[in-house]
Amino acid sequence: MTDQAHLQALREKYGNAAGGDIFDPHLREVALGQFTGGDKRKWPFAGIPTFLDAPCMPEAANSDDFGGLDIALVGVPMDLGVTNRNGSRFGPRALRGVERVGPYDHVLRISPMSKARVADIGDVPMHSRYDLARCHADIEAFYRRLVGAGVRPLSVGGDHSITSSILKAIGANEPVGMIHIDAHCDTAGPYEGTKFQHGGPFRLAVLDGVLDPRRTIQIGIRGPAEYLWEFSYESGMTVVHAEEVSEASLPRLIEKAREIVGHGPTYISFDIDGVDPGFAPGTGTPEVGGLQPREVLQILRGLDGLNIVGGDVVEVAPQYDSTTNTAQIAAQVLHTILCLMVKSDQNNSV
């Protein structure tokens, strides 16, 4: 360095500073939640694995107020509703095993765990591993308790059929809008004697009166199943195909999404197959030609300030991806949605 005065100033400020000594006031606040004793940080590879390294509070699910949490991270390890490859029942376990996601989002400029009471409360208790309809009854009952306690849920599936029963709880008093990132619209009808299947949760939610189709946008749609999605168009949902998404189009897409959902309560549903299988092969219904992870994160971060009342990340089937990339991407999306939910709570409490 040729500027000796600048070098000397850096030596005086940082020469004897520990790794946990952060001088910027905003970043120092983040660091205070991570460091103890100057430079001591929690080991990412030790301890009990939880979603996003959140506190582990399974006992909260047994209390009427769910421990006074603001946001509950919930696993829903059920994949009886898949049409092809199963395995997303292992999605929650895979995401809990991902280390070093968070604690800070540099775009949204928030460390969500330090701004709200958030915990991993374990998995939805279900009575039968074989009975799809019974599983959905258990899911709905659990989320009705959770929402009734004033706790907002952020869930990890499991197949996408779970979302219809979650929405029955969240939208019980007022239909919600939705921002849905996926390869498939998931608005098909019942098949082979069951209405609960992962290709149809959002038709169910609309017909149940808990999802407002005119406040719903579906992003990343592609593949050979377009003929199944007429309900999306008929009901008034906005469908954005993957071919319409590019770096240049993202600002307008984000603006459109914000206009569609407006200021009302909004749910975010993210299916990992919305991402191209070149990045995320670990899913039951991969569709070539999908979004890049960076595009997904840019879309989500563009939703800052909306009234986000819940969300989910679904369809991670880790056994189809030996690299763990699929779970890594899904965990990062989970953290981003959590940031949006915490910021939404801060904005609505002002």
Side-chain angles (χ1 to χ4, degrees), residues 75-82 87-92 123-124 126 128-136 139 156-163 165 196-198 314-315:
V76 194
M78 195 283 294
D79 64 0
L80 297 177
V82 299
S88 59
R89 65 183 63 183
F90 295 106
D123 296 337
V124 175
M126 286 176 269
S128 174
R129 76 187 74 182
Y130 306 109
D131 189 331
L132 175 59
R134 183 66 185 273
C135 286
H136 272 273
I139 293 167
V156 177
D159 71 62
H160 217 159
S161 73
I162 69 171
T163 310
S165 293
F196 296 119
Q197 48 91 11
H198 71 164
V314 299
E315 298 281 354

